């Protein structure tokens, strides 16, 4: 069993006999405050095994990149962020392969924007639609 991690939630990927079970799209919401003109992480994710090794690099697709900036998806090492009650909490201090979404607002823009992403695993055992509400400040 693999665990998916995002900044505000975790979800299980269910694998049965090595074959992925079809799942509905799970909707998630997150938010970030960024400085105008500054490249900032607005979402990151990883799939982690119980032994803290990377299970897969999340696949992210931009559904809506917002109206007031630039989105970048970068595969890089991230720190998981599991709750203390999760058996994988011990993995939080170890970087694993992950995907990071950066948002750079248009110069001099302040206000709100919204980004929508679709995330899946290599096994297609889970699909998530993430809505990130971004507040851009001076």
């Amino acid at each position: 069993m693999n665990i998916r991690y995002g900044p505000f939630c975790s979800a299980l990927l269910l694998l049965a006999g090595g074959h992925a079970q079809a799942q509905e799209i799970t909707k998630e919401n997150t938010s970030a405050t960024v400085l105008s003109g500054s490249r900032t992480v607005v979402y990151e994710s990883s799939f982690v095994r119980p032994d803290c090794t990377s299970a897969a690099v999340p696949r992210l697709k931009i559904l809506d990149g917002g109206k007031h900036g630039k989105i970048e998806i970068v595969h890089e090492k991230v720190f998981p962020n599991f709750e203390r009650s999760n058996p994988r909490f011990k993995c939080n201090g170890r970087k694993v392969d992950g995907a990071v979404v950066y948002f750079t607002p248009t110069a001099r823009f302040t206000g709100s924007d919204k980004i929508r992403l679709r995330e899946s695993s290599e096994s297609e055992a889970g699909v998530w639609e993430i809505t990130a509400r971004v507040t851009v400040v001076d």
Side-chain angles (χ1 to χ4, degrees), residues 17-29:
H19 300 296
Q21 296 176 348
Q23 290 187 337
E24 294 181 23
I25 294 175
T26 302
K27 297 195 180 237
E28 297 181 7
N29 294 300

Side-chain angles (χ1 to χ4, degrees), residues 1-13 28 30 41-49 52-60 76-84 86 88-89 91-101 117 119-121 126 128 130:
M1 203 163 22
N2 298 327
I3 294 290
R4 182 194 157 274
Y5 134 78
F8 299 104
C9 61
S10 297
L12 290 175
L13 293 179
E28 297 181 7
T30 187
V41 174
V42 294
Y43 183 78
E44 60 184 38
S45 182
S46 63
F47 294 95
V48 179
R49 292 185 184 102
C52 300
T53 59
S54 295
V57 175
R59 293 189 301 193
L60 289 166
E76 61 188 39
K77 299 281 187 181
V78 300
F79 285 106
N81 188 23
F82 293 105
E83 305 230 354
R84 186 172 293 279
N86 189 304
R88 288 170 173 83
F89 177 77
C91 304
N92 288 356
R94 302 178 192 177
K95 281 194 169 188
V96 297
D97 294 330
V100 179
V101 178
L117 308 163
E119 179 175 20
S120 63
S121 68
W128 298 266
I130 297 99

Side-chain angles (χ1 to χ4, degrees), residues 102-116:
Y102 289 95
F103 179 71
T104 306
T106 306
R108 294 183 297 281
F109 171 77
T110 57
S112 298
D113 209 344
K114 181 172 73 171
I115 300 159
R116 286 184 41 244

